[in-house]
Amino acid sequence: MTNSEGSPATGIGVQPVVAADGAGALVVIPTYNERDNLPLIVGRLQGALPGIHVLVVDDSSPDGTGEVADELAGADDLARIHTMHRVEKDGLGKAYLAGFAWGLDRDYRVVIEMDADGSHAPEQLSGLLDAINAGADLAIGSRYVPGGKLVNWPRRREILSRGANTYARLALGAGIHDITAGYRAYRREVLEKIDLGSVESAGYCFQIDLAWRTVQAGFTVREVPITFTEREIGVSKMSGGVMSEAFLNVARWGLASRLAQLGIRRG
């Protein structure tokens, strides 16, 4: 069941799982060549939610982002900043999956996705956590529900993004307006149930894949309006190949869902 606006429908429970200062939650931040952005985003996170923990998953950035992450962790006397160094760059999805596994091995009740480039405002994270505490199982920071905004985004990218989301919503029937969004918070129970070991998607497709699995597993999804701001430092890493993967997989998932509704199994 999904609920994009208003009060979230009842999910796993309505007892608060994250403290007001963010304690109990882990923010996973994948990085590749983000040495200038990373200290800014981590500083803003700690200013907004002092009790939250951060895991930087760096894919051997040649610009030294991994070393910057280690310096931030070493300077944090409260042990709220952690680092993971991966040997190769094999996609956003794989980086997030590694971060999720790390978080699930520990006592975090909520695991959060956030970009390192500043497009996801840490000051708005409390809105996602409020939705989780109110009963949502997955809270998505949405650009395309009432109250959501885009700042400094090229018109071409906005048209592409809105088109991809409309296509996915119609093909899947999921009822989520910003299913490609990368700013989101999961209760750990969701990640434990949706078979992360079988996820092969990357980029846009990774976000669609996990949201679709969450819906199919019967969890409650709520979209929380956010302001998405185009990065000021560095360049976007989105590629045409990732978009093609998303288009083909969404078509396949949508067809499989409709056949299942008709009681037909694909051979």
Side-chain angles (χ1 to χ4, degrees):
M1 178 177 184
T2 63
N3 183 14
S4 296
E5 303 169 41
S7 299
T10 302
I12 293 169
V14 294
Q15 294 299 317
V17 292
V18 180
D21 67 352
L26 173 71
V27 180
V28 179
I29 304 179
T31 56
Y32 186 77
N33 288 347
E34 298 284 2
R35 66 170 294 126
D36 294 325
N37 281 315
L38 185 61
L40 302 176
I41 205 70
V42 170
R44 288 172 62 189
L45 262 173
Q46 292 186 322
L49 294 164
I52 208 158
H53 282 211
V54 177
L55 173 66
V56 179
V57 182
D58 186 66
D59 281 2
S60 299
S61 297
D63 74 342
T65 302
E67 288 79 358
V68 171
D70 287 338
E71 290 170 7
L72 292 171
D76 178 27
D77 295 335
L78 298 178
R80 297 162 300 174
I81 303 173
H82 313 276
T83 59
M84 175 187 294
H85 298 278
R86 302 198 321 138
V87 241
E88 59 182 348
K89 185 178 186 299
D90 59 354
L92 181 71
K94 296 296 186 184
Y96 269 128
L97 291 173
F100 291 167
W102 189 94
L104 292 175
D105 282 342
R106 291 155 179 84
D107 294 330
Y108 299 106
R109 302 305 307 167
V110 172
V111 181
I112 298 147
E113 295 184 26
M114 178 183 284
D115 287 349
D117 61 13
S119 56
H120 299 151
E123 297 78 11
Q124 295 185 322
L125 179 53
S126 59
L128 275 67
L129 297 182
D130 287 345
I132 293 289
N133 280 338
D137 303 316
L138 165 59
I140 296 177
S142 178
R143 301 160 287 187
Y144 304 132
V145 294
K149 297 179 182 177
L150 289 166
V151 176
N152 295 333
W153 232 30
R155 184 62 178 164
R156 178 180 174 277
R157 288 191 64 191
E158 179 181 349
I159 291 171
L160 185 64
S161 174
R162 287 184 182 274
N165 276 286
T166 300
Y167 166 68
R169 186 167 69 253
L170 294 175
L172 299 175
I176 300 173
H177 294 80
D178 199 355
I179 199 169
T180 66
Y183 197 8
R184 49 178 70 186
Y186 293 91
R187 289 187 184 233
R188 70 175 293 125
E189 292 88 347
V190 176
L191 298 177
E192 288 172 336
K193 185 174 180 180
I194 61 175
D195 190 16
L196 295 176
S198 67
V199 176
E200 295 293 338
S201 308
Y204 265 22
C205 196
F206 175 79
Q207 308 299 0
I208 300 170
D209 192 349
L210 263 63
W212 180 230
R213 288 169 187 253
T214 300
V215 170
Q216 288 190 305
F219 290 109
T220 299
V221 180
R222 182 182 174 190
E223 295 187 79
V224 177
I226 62 162
T227 297
F228 181 96
T229 304
E230 173 69 335
R231 65 157 67 229
E232 294 182 358
I233 304 172
V235 295
S236 171
K237 302 173 182 68
M238 184 58 61
S239 69
V242 168
M243 293 298 296
S244 298
E245 177 198 26
F247 181 88
L248 294 173
N249 280 342
V250 167
R252 179 168 56 85
W253 297 331
L255 176 60
S257 176
R258 280 160 175 73
L259 290 177
Q261 291 170 9
L262 296 172
I264 302 172
R265 288 187 176 184
R266 297 181 68 186

